[in-house]
Amino acid sequence: MTRQRHRVRTGPLMTPAVGMLLVWMIVPLLMTLWFSAQRYNLLDPGGTAFAGLENYRDLVTGRALWVAMGNTLLLVGAVLAITLAGGTLLAVLLDREFPGRNICRLLVIAPFFVMPTVSALVWKNMLMNPVFGLIAWITRSLGLGAPDFFATAPLAAIILIVAWEWTPFAVLILLPALQSLSKEQREAARMDGAGAAAMFLHVELPHLRRPMAVVAMIETIFFLSLFAEIYVTTAGGPGLASTNLAYLIFQDALFEWDVGLASAGGVVAIALANVVAIFLMRVVGRTLEAER
Amino acid sequence: MASIELRSVGKRFGSHEVVRRVDLLVEDREFVAFVGPSGSGKSTLLRMIAGLETVSEGEILIDGQSVARVPPAKRGLAMVFQSYAIYPHMTAAENMSFSLRLAGVPKAERDAKVREVARALEMEALLERKPRALSGGQLQRVALGRAMVRQPKAFLLDEPLSNLDAALQAQMRLELVRLHRELKTTMIYVTHDQTEAMTMADRIVVLNEGRVEQAGTPLELYNRPASLFVAGFIGAPKMNFLPAQGAEGRTLGVRPEHVRIGEGGELAGEIVALERLGARTYVHARLTDGTRLVAEAAGDTGVREGDRLAFRILPEGRHWFDGSGRRVT
Ligand SMILES: Nc1ncnc2c1ncn2[C@@H]1O[C@H](COP(=O)(O)OP(=O)(O)OP(=O)(O)O)[C@@H](O)[C@H]1O
Ligand SMILES: [Mg+2]
């Protein structure tokens, strides 16, 4: 082995990977931008022409985009809040010693491994269905009538389903994090007079800050493009009540065959994702900085 | 200010008996060290006193009151952990005042208390720092400060110096002794380092496999070890053990300083190694029957490796132990 330093030129070695990334990212992005400036409907192939900002004008002046954007943000925000709160609570509970703890842990984690389409179908047909759903059966037998969740509160129902799917993910990240908290630190807090509540607030929660930030970041990425649950349960309805940006784009493209409008929606979605990402990086980044 | 009494205290983890029938009275203001090899139950015993571990048998009394039903925070004891267990998201000052904050002490009073303790520990400059910006020795001070702020009846320290380098250990040892004198509180100090115990403690409790082998002042343990175990554990370099001629099953123990070289001695052996420390030299020899012997000699002794010499054991330095390892007087 020579001690001599080899000046390897890494550029050529990285080219394939970087090239792939560029092709996969930049080409679709450019195509989307290009299409968004076209009058291009698949039902009217002859009428293709350059449209400038017409598609964007249609989007911005219409109601659908704003409703969908609001729904997207509400969905992300609500599910984040529920999964973080629920995940933390469950992680703290599952960290305690009790008989049957391992089985419990397994059951809590399980929903995460069910496909989104499948869990959405289960919720729609077996649990929340107003005629033969379990919840309706319970409320009926209590004389409270049968609620039709997807008709009366579609977005809330979807939030519930997605939260059910993703709370296990939060537990999956937070529980091991909690277990890594040193035993001596808990004991020191006990000697200092911390009860269960103070222990949670002053020792466990601060310890979970970083993993919670990570959960929030990962979940946001997925929640911004939520689709299967909406497609399976409400198809965005009634009206626009449960349409998010992803679903709106899908509708524009594959129901109205309006490639131009859908592409413009896509560009707006990219912009929104970037805004949320910057906001998150600020908040989360600060949390990550603050510790250690 | 508290006396701590253990009455045939035992601890079992499942079927594994870790502490067996320990009787002990720690007097008010006494500095007691628990020493013993790894796994001898020192930490377990300390944690039972703190209330962090339940007591399987017997009872623990603090100031004459049984504390079986008293939770850790209410026992009036403070503990310093081996890992320090500093809360990483709090500043040094917040760490120190945490117990007062939980107890609902007003902020002004807390701050005054923390400053007072920080002055005593000469760490005022560190108060606003986060733990990640502190060195091991400084963390150690925060941990001590956190214990002192509570003005406990007794301090429980579990190998608090084992993560420090040798120089800092020596300094902290002196500091702890000074603190003990100034604070006038009871201290129980766990260590596996007999030097630490010898230099700091009023009284040493030697534990072996969960049992008290002997409890006494450092010199009592050094001069009259009650068993082979204590004899071998206390003192560095270790006491020599020679199979006794004549008396069956007995062992003769003799410390290196009680062995004289080359003065018409009854033992003969070859020098295998020399440990020159400057002021004195430890001479390692292999006797004719194969046993090893360490003798203390002057720093400028002329003996060399390979020399064949005679060794004499001073009569006052002879410790006799019977077949079961007990001291025979
Ligand atoms: N929670 C526990 N469950 C089961 N066994 C335990 C538990 N805590 C300690 N032990 C056992 O008890 C014995 C004594 O442990 P302890 O920690 O008191 O030893 P120690 O004297 O402090 O040793 P060290 O010098 O290594 O710290 C060991 O054999 C250990 O394995
Ligand atoms: Mg220990």
Side-chain angles (χ1 to χ4, degrees), chain B residues 42-44 82 158-159 190:
Chain B
K42 310 177 295 286
S43 297
T44 307
Q82 184 173 1
D158 193 353
E159 309 207 23
V190 165

Side-chain angles (χ1 to χ4, degrees), chain A residues 227-248:
Chain A
F227 178 78
E229 290 83 353
I230 299 175
Y231 181 72
V232 169
T233 54
T234 63
L240 289 169
S242 58
T243 298
N244 68 351
L245 267 183
Y247 199 80
L248 183 72

Side-chain angles (χ1 to χ4, degrees), chain B residues 276-296:
Chain B
R276 292 195 184 273
L277 299 180
R280 53 187 177 280
T281 303
Y282 290 112
V283 178
H284 295 250
R286 187 169 52 234
L287 300 182
T288 37
D289 63 355
T291 35
R292 292 295 189 109
L293 182 79
V294 180
E296 191 184 308

Side-chain angles (χ1 to χ4, degrees), chain A residues 32-256:
Chain A
T32 308
L33 280 172
W34 169 247
F35 284 136
S36 73
Q38 296 279 313
R39 187 177 303 124
Y40 181 16
N41 193 313
L42 293 179
L43 295 179
D44 179 18
T48 308
F50 186 75
L53 295 177
E54 210 173 275
N55 286 322
Y56 291 98
R57 200 195 57 214
D58 287 354
L59 265 183
V60 174
T61 50
R63 198 177 133 263
L65 177 75
W66 304 110
V67 174
M69 211 183 265
N71 284 345
T72 305
L73 292 177
L74 194 63
L75 201 57
V76 172
V79 181
L80 264 187
I82 296 174
T83 52
L84 277 177
T88 308
L89 193 73
L90 278 171
V92 169
L93 289 180
L94 290 174
D95 189 42
R96 303 261 188 276
E97 291 279 351
F98 61 89
R101 183 169 67 159
N102 286 337
I103 277 287
C104 256
R105 283 183 183 172
L106 194 68
L107 288 176
V108 166
I109 305 296
F112 191 56
F113 297 102
V114 180
M115 274 186 283
T117 1
V118 175
S119 58
L121 278 173
V122 168
W123 276 91
K124 182 189 183 186
N125 295 328
M126 296 172 75
L127 295 172
M128 287 177 164
N129 189 293
V131 182
F132 36 79
L134 182 66
I135 297 172
W137 178 77
I138 293 172
T139 50
R140 250 202 313 272
S141 56
L142 292 174
L144 296 173
D148 185 354
F149 295 98
F150 294 111
T152 51
L155 199 59
I158 288 169
I159 287 172
L160 181 65
I161 295 173
V162 180
W164 179 82
E165 284 171 348
W166 282 85
T167 303
F169 173 73
V171 176
L172 209 57
I173 303 282
L174 297 179
L175 183 57
L178 206 53
Q179 285 167 333
S180 76
L181 179 60
S182 96
K183 190 171 146 240
E184 290 199 339
Q185 208 162 103
R186 285 177 199 268
E187 287 175 347
R190 263 176 79 194
M191 295 288 292
D192 276 344
M199 182 79 79
F200 175 71
L201 213 60
H202 298 297
V203 178
E204 290 171 337
L205 205 54
H207 180 77
L208 287 181
R209 282 242 304 261
R210 279 150 70 85
M212 279 170 86
V214 171
V215 169
M217 199 120 78
I218 295 176
E219 285 192 347
T220 306
I221 294 169
F222 282 89
F223 295 164
L224 276 173
S225 58
L226 221 51
F227 178 78
E229 290 83 353
I230 299 175
Y231 181 72
V232 169
T233 54
T234 63
L240 289 169
S242 58
T243 298
N244 68 351
L245 267 183
Y247 199 80
L248 183 72
I249 296 165
F250 162 78
Q251 248 180 346
D252 286 344
L254 294 169
F255 281 113
E256 301 177 13

